[in-house]
Amino acid sequence: MLLTPMSILIDSSTRVLCQGITGAAGAFHTKGCLEYGTRMVGGTTPGKGGQRDANGLPIFETVHEAVKATGATATMIFVPPPFAGDAIIEAADAGVGVICAITEGIPVQDMIRVRATLDKYPNSTLIGPNCPGVITPGRKIGQNKYEGGCKIGIMPGYIHMHRVDAPSRKAVGIISRSGTLTYEAVWQCSARGIGQTTCVGIGGDPIKGLDFTDLLELFTADPDTSAIVMIGEIGGNAEVDGGRWLQQNSKKPVVAFIAGRTAPPGRRMGHAGAIVGGSADTAQSKIDALRECGVLVAESPADMGAFAARALGLN
Amino acid sequence: MKIHEFQARQLLATAGIAVPPGTMVTSVEEAHTAARSLFSLGSTQVVVKAQVHAGGRGKAGFVRVVNSIDEAVAASNFMLGNRMITPQTPPEGLVVGRLLVADAVAIAHEYYIAVLVDRAQRTNTLIASTEGGVEIEAVAESRPDAIIRVPLDPILGLQPFQARSVALALGFKGKAIAQAVSMVTKLCALQRSSDASLVEVNPLVLTPPTATHPDGQVMAIDAKFAFDDNALFRHADIEAMHDPAEENPAELRAQAFGLSYVALDGNIGCLVNGAGLAMSTMDIIKLHGGEPANFLDVGGSATEEAVTEAFRIILSDGRVQGVLVNIFGGIMQCDRIARAIVGAAQTIGFRVPLVVRLEGTNVEEARRILDAARVNIPTMQSATDLDDAAAKIVSSVCANA
């Protein structure tokens, strides 16, 4: 049996940089990713080029230098908000394929320009910003030890489960706008013996990189992904766009949860993107639209795992 | 962040957009002076408008067009210190502390114009309509063809040809076309340079023809701004316009500690990490028949002190009859939350039922901390998962009610 996980976007061969590797968050999570088994190859911090971080990883002045020296193919960005937009473009310009922007609080006008500029870099894919990152779970080989996976971001690795370790021998792909709610969904799936191929936090900002439709497309094409879990929230129309795409293009079972049914209109609920706009922009209207597209929508956030199990025919 | 109408007028005027003359006043004496000055400069009518962050002012009698200084004084007397209650204010209303006293220009036609972040187009979009002075949502519903939408290039912004086509589509004629082009251009530039997620001028007006302006004058009468909070670091001038009197005091306190808090109407306080999980926690409380008292996201990097403050804010809401803690630790370490719970029990005290559900980073250590402190927190129950947590807090609160 082939033990290499099937996945989307990243796998055990992905070579990962951290932009902002010496900041508190960058340093902490670089260590966390290394411990999970991610191939971290270095990082950048302006002014600290030539030094090594606490884990012995080389630090570079620029992403171009880092890519040249390490062959990095992905990056996670912890650069503070005023400079994070530039960090994204720098990574794209250096040819990094998967750019994961963890930074929360990038001005929307910056992201509008960044997003448009990325069109010039078709080989780079942005995930986030304001997201937990992306993980392709590895196989468990001991207490808190994993092999063959790749974790790029801030999610707790141990809640995830590789398909081969999963009692059901099945795995879902997870797409989510929220961080901790993603962990909740992963945990519910793992607790029911359902593995995950890849989990992608797309972030809570209004202007971002990969969105539901892009990832539904990738998961639909991934043979190891038996079902897809999408976790949305109030604000915008991306979940429904995804649902429409599914209806036309995918036969995989898809389950969803939409957060914010009790959110009052006009109030921002933490995420810059989570705000109920007009009368049609409610969680309920999203739920209804997704159901019309054939998506199995859980009413309760406690039922995400149970719905995934049902979609996989496990109970 | 939102600002007052008089502040919005200042921003527009600074950007070179014509606004009728006017002054912000905080007393009846100042209102008298302002009205006298406007009438002496040739105003035939003056408008007195309450400056509060809520709509529905006109219907509530807090926008008055007056014909004399005496009427202006009477209107100011009525509004200042009075509570304005509209569907958009809290039930107890908002106390009016400031007024705008401005020239009530004669109006030949009213238009609507706005520039906002359009997430679907991933850029800024200009929206304009010949149906100004009314609710744009109603126009969008009844006459979608009366709304002009122009997505702006994400890098270049509004192009001159687009500005011209908007002015023409709105039906401006003669010399008013150039005025409208200039106005639209400056408004788009202002939206971008000020990091506004929304700038709305409603109404934009054309004044009747006069000897000096045979095609009328294009002016902004009322304007609304919403700013991107994440960009305030580069707009000290705009941040200085923030009026704390317009905010919920508990929400301000939360902000000072880096917490994201929104007060709601229910009786179950929530302390959660992450916006999505916080919204879901509110949702599941409701599904179990309870009512959330707040949205509270402690975020990922809150200190023990901030989490303790979060408990203080929740427990100082007199309506709260139970508290649900739901933490899925990623960056947030569960033991930090556990220590804050123990600390809050000592310094504040939990007289109401407390249900704690912890999962994720350092959860074992957190459970040990809570188990050790259990005797000192008699109202605390642990929950195994989200459903269990919601069921326990709702039944505890109902049992006590």
Side-chain angles (χ1 to χ4, degrees), chain A residues 191-215:
Chain A
R192 286 172 179 271
I194 302 167
Q196 303 90 38
T197 45
T198 302
C199 306
V200 189
I202 59 173
D205 279 8
I207 312 281
K208 55 174 161 275
L210 291 184
D211 218 324
F212 284 101
T213 305
D214 308 303
L215 288 159

Side-chain angles (χ1 to χ4, degrees), chain A residues 69-99:
Chain A
T70 66
T73 54
T75 178
M76 56 178 183
I77 296 177
F78 286 93
V79 170
F83 318 107
D86 183 58
I88 294 170
I89 304 289
E90 184 187 2
D93 198 62
V96 176
V98 173
I99 303 168

Side-chain angles (χ1 to χ4, degrees), chain A residues 21-313:
Chain A
I21 194 168
T22 55
F28 181 78
H29 293 291
T30 294
K31 186 161 177 276
C33 292
L34 272 172
E35 284 169 356
Y36 192 75
T38 304
R39 288 177 74 172
M40 295 299 303
V41 294
T44 59
T45 295
K48 294 193 178 167
Q51 301 178 20
R52 290 195 173 259
D53 84 337
N55 310 294
L57 294 173
I59 303 173
F60 300 91
E61 284 293 323
T62 68
V63 181
H64 278 87
E65 275 176 37
V67 169
K68 206 171 156 197
T70 66
T73 54
T75 178
M76 56 178 183
I77 296 177
F78 286 93
V79 170
F83 318 107
D86 183 58
I88 294 170
I89 304 289
E90 184 187 2
D93 198 62
V96 176
V98 173
I99 303 168
C100 203
I102 311 295
T103 307
E104 176 179 359
I106 304 179
V108 180
Q109 294 299 325
D110 291 7
M111 277 314 300
I112 287 176
R113 275 168 277 205
V114 166
R115 188 57 227 236
T117 304
L118 284 178
D119 289 345
K120 289 197 281 182
Y121 300 99
N123 297 324
S124 294
T125 296
L126 175 66
I127 300 167
N130 188 13
C131 78
V134 51
I135 181 170
T136 289
R139 290 208 54 191
K140 188 164 185 170
I141 52 169
Q143 176 73 16
N144 285 326
K145 282 193 84 68
Y146 300 86
E147 186 181 73
C150 181
K151 163 175 129 82
I152 304 180
I154 62 179
M155 66 290 280
Y158 78 91
I159 59 174
H160 299 81
M161 189 178 272
H162 186 265
R163 185 180 63 83
V164 174
D165 291 337
S168 72
R169 291 279 162 148
K170 291 202 166 144
V172 293
I174 297 184
I175 314 164
S176 171
R177 274 172 71 178
S178 144
T180 48
L181 187 55
T182 319
Y183 313 160
E184 179 71 44
V186 169
W187 187 77
Q188 287 179 23
C189 287
S190 296
R192 286 172 179 271
I194 302 167
Q196 303 90 38
T197 45
T198 302
C199 306
V200 189
I202 59 173
D205 279 8
I207 312 281
K208 55 174 161 275
L210 291 184
D211 218 324
F212 284 101
T213 305
D214 308 303
L215 288 159
L216 289 168
E217 221 172 314
L218 292 174
F219 279 130
T220 295
D222 174 42
D224 255 12
T225 301
S226 302
I228 305 167
V229 178
M230 52 191 284
I231 302 158
E233 60 190 32
I234 49 169
N237 210 34
E239 294 87 344
V240 178
D241 290 345
R244 301 240 161 82
W245 182 88
L246 283 169
Q247 203 173 19
Q248 300 292 323
N249 301 288
S250 179
K251 291 195 167 61
K252 281 197 181 169
V254 179
V255 305
F257 173 73
I258 303 292
R261 296 217 303 186
T262 49
R267 301 301 306 271
R268 174 177 152 171
M269 292 285 132
H271 283 164
I275 183 163
V276 180
S279 53
D281 185 13
T282 62
Q284 193 57 51
S285 68
K286 253 183 208 185
I287 292 168
D288 294 344
L290 284 173
R291 283 188 177 144
E292 275 170 31
C293 299
V295 175
L296 206 57
V297 186
E299 296 278 323
S300 163
D303 291 341
M304 294 184 287
F307 272 55
R310 210 207 293 174
L312 291 170

Side-chain angles (χ1 to χ4, degrees), chain A residues 28-29 82 105-110 112-113 115-117 154 156 158-159 177-178 180-181 183-184 187-188 205-209 233-236 257-264 267-274 299-303, chain B residues 117-119 122-124 141 154-155 191-192 195-196 228-231 233-234 251 260-264 273-277 279-284 286-287 292 295 297 326 328-331 333 357 359-361 363 384-387:
Chain A
F28 181 78
H29 293 291
I106 304 179
V108 180
Q109 294 299 325
D110 291 7
I112 287 176
R113 275 168 277 205
R115 188 57 227 236
T117 304
I154 62 179
Y158 78 91
I159 59 174
R177 274 172 71 178
S178 144
T180 48
L181 187 55
Y183 313 160
E184 179 71 44
W187 187 77
Q188 287 179 23
D205 279 8
I207 312 281
K208 55 174 161 275
E233 60 190 32
I234 49 169
F257 173 73
I258 303 292
R261 296 217 303 186
T262 49
R267 301 301 306 271
R268 174 177 152 171
M269 292 285 132
H271 283 164
E299 296 278 323
S300 163
D303 291 341
Chain B
V117 172
D118 182 343
R119 58 195 300 160
R122 295 192 186 118
T123 187
N124 300 298
E141 205 139 292
I155 310 284
Q191 183 258 348
R192 198 150 104 147
D195 279 291
D228 178 0
D229 291 343
N230 289 336
F233 69 85
R234 57 189 175 206
E251 291 178 16
S260 178
Y261 171 86
V262 177
L264 302 167
N273 66 326
L277 192 61
M279 274 190 279
S280 307
T281 304
M282 286 157 51
D283 294 345
I284 200 167
K286 188 105 171 177
L287 280 172
F295 165 94
D297 170 12
N326 183 24
F328 210 117
I331 325 180
Q333 292 152 16
R357 185 278 174 126
E359 203 57 61
T361 311
V363 66
T384 51
D385 60 29
L386 200 45
D387 235 353

